Amino acid sequence: MYLISDETNVLIDCGCKTEDSYERLQTGLKRLGFSLDDIDQLWLTHAHPDHSGLAARLQKKHNIKVGIHQTELRYMHKNQFVDRFGEWFRKHQVPEYLIQAMDGGRVWYQSYYDDLKPDFLINNGQTLNTGTYSFTAIHLPGHAPGHLAFFGEQTILSGDVLLDRISSNAILTFEHDTTRRVRALCQQRESLEYLQNQTGRVYPGHGTIFDNPADIATLHLNAQENRYQQVIRALEKGSASLFEITKRVFPQAEQPGMTFLCLSEVIGYLDLSIDRRHATFDNEQNIFSLIK
């Protein structure tokens, strides 16, 4: 979480819905000479609970005005896309016990946020003024469909789109206004390519602050190319379902608790392989094949 102290005091992200997070937020603000009642606005980079879970409580209890990108609205409400996930997993031959485990995981996940109706929407390219400071909101999807980063003068509040040591997962989800699955990894790569041309100090959602966004974006893109080759090597072993290919890349995918992130990772690279015409998908048999 970050605080912009100005004529309008703004909090960037707010942590998950736990008492520990709430207390830590108050302690951090107190150390800076502030309380939650001094905060005017909350700008959310995206709707994942570790970034937005306390938003509804801060809005209701402390009258903080909350803003987020339009695309994230549906992800601020519980029980979204449940039927789509189960149907999609079965199509891709995921065993029923793992589907049930992932359903349980979503219930656990949803305990870390409350439904939220934001006070205002933040659009791509919109200028946000706090008084002395001015920021431009840039829509950089991939980790989340409506992910925003806030660009000030040589300052980037990056959320999870750019982290120092790790590449954030391009998480499997569905479009908020259609039944289509989001091609998250392809979106994420476009966002990283945008960040290859940026300069300034980066204040990320996790990890340490750093000053070389272009280098870090390039590092992550190169790491993705290495992972892409792993997926291609898995395809070389023969045509298979998504779940089978995922097990070839990540044997731990059969462990409840690991399945969802492993599937998210591999489907992204399979999307990329189809874009690059290295692979095809058979809609009748629901299998992926390498083009030889």
Side-chain angles (χ1 to χ4, degrees):
M1 296 169 274
Y2 297 97
L3 171 67
I4 302 169
S5 171
D6 205 357
E7 294 173 24
T8 299
N9 293 320
V10 176
L11 193 65
I12 307 294
D13 290 340
C14 60
C16 58
K17 191 194 80 173
T18 66
E19 286 304 313
D20 183 56
S21 286
Y22 185 65
E23 290 170 6
R24 285 172 182 264
L25 173 55
Q26 291 183 97
T27 299
L29 288 172
K30 184 177 181 181
R31 201 179 303 131
L32 298 171
F34 289 83
S35 73
L36 281 169
D37 293 326
D38 296 319
I39 305 302
D40 301 297
Q41 295 183 3
L42 169 62
W43 301 348
L44 295 174
T45 59
H46 60 299
H48 293 167
D50 54 327
H51 293 257
S52 68
L54 281 173
R57 182 173 183 176
L58 300 183
Q59 182 189 58
K60 182 177 180 179
K61 185 173 181 178
H62 300 280
N63 197 32
I64 297 172
K65 305 301 181 186
V66 181
I68 196 168
H69 190 272
Q70 169 80 35
T71 307
E72 291 295 274
L73 286 181
R74 192 166 182 181
Y75 305 100
M76 299 301 299
H77 297 280
K78 299 183 181 184
N79 299 318
Q80 297 296 320
F81 316 122
V82 172
D83 293 339
R84 293 191 209 172
F85 277 114
E87 181 182 347
W88 192 85
F89 289 139
R90 291 182 184 95
K91 173 182 176 180
H92 290 285
Q93 302 179 29
V94 178
E96 195 64 31
Y97 80 95
L98 290 174
I99 295 174
Q100 291 177 11
M102 286 187 281
D103 285 344
R106 270 192 297 279
V107 173
W108 168 83
Y109 177 88
Q110 290 176 356
S111 71
Y112 288 99
Y113 69 97
D114 288 322
D115 287 357
L116 175 77
K117 182 178 180 180
D119 299 282
F120 59 98
L121 297 177
I122 304 174
N123 300 312
N124 180 47
Q126 181 176 341
T127 298
L128 301 166
N129 292 302
T130 61
T132 307
Y133 306 115
S134 179
F135 295 85
T136 302
I138 300 296
H139 181 213
L140 295 173
H143 178 65
H147 196 294
L148 292 167
F150 303 103
F151 289 71
E153 185 176 353
Q154 289 299 298
T155 298
I156 305 171
L157 293 149
S158 69
D160 285 355
V161 72
L162 192 64
L163 307 177
D164 186 11
R165 291 179 295 172
I166 61 171
S167 177
S168 55
N169 195 289
I171 292 174
L172 170 64
T173 191
F174 295 88
E175 293 182 357
H176 71 289
D177 54 355
T178 77
T179 59
R180 293 190 298 267
R181 179 178 55 83
V182 174
R183 299 172 75 257
L185 183 78
C186 297
Q187 290 183 345
Q188 186 183 56
R189 288 183 64 80
E190 290 179 1
S191 295
L192 289 171
E193 286 165 1
Y194 176 87
L195 288 161
Q196 281 184 301
N197 298 310
Q198 306 305 312
T199 60
R201 175 158 291 186
V202 180
Y203 297 84
H206 303 270
T208 58
I209 296 166
F210 55 95
D211 294 306
N212 53 337
D215 293 341
I216 297 298
T218 299
L219 181 71
H220 293 331
L221 285 166
N222 290 341
Q224 288 180 347
E225 289 296 337
N226 291 335
R227 178 74 80 199
Y228 180 77
Q229 293 303 320
Q230 283 184 273
V231 174
I232 293 298
R233 287 195 293 272
L235 274 171
E236 288 173 347
K237 296 178 180 179
S239 301
S241 68
L242 168 63
F243 185 63
E244 179 59 34
I245 295 166
T246 300
K247 289 191 295 179
R248 293 173 186 175
V249 179
F250 298 111
Q252 64 268 40
E254 293 184 279
Q255 300 173 16
M258 297 296 295
T259 311
F260 183 77
L261 289 178
C262 294
L263 289 169
S264 292
E265 181 95 351
V266 173
I267 190 59
Y269 289 103
L270 290 171
D271 285 340
L272 191 59
S273 72
I274 292 171
D275 282 357
R276 292 178 175 180
R277 300 184 180 180
H278 293 160
T280 60
F281 177 65
D282 185 323
N283 281 293
E284 292 185 1
Q285 295 186 339
N286 296 319
I287 59 172
F288 293 86
S289 301
L290 196 65
I291 297 174
K292 297 181 181 179

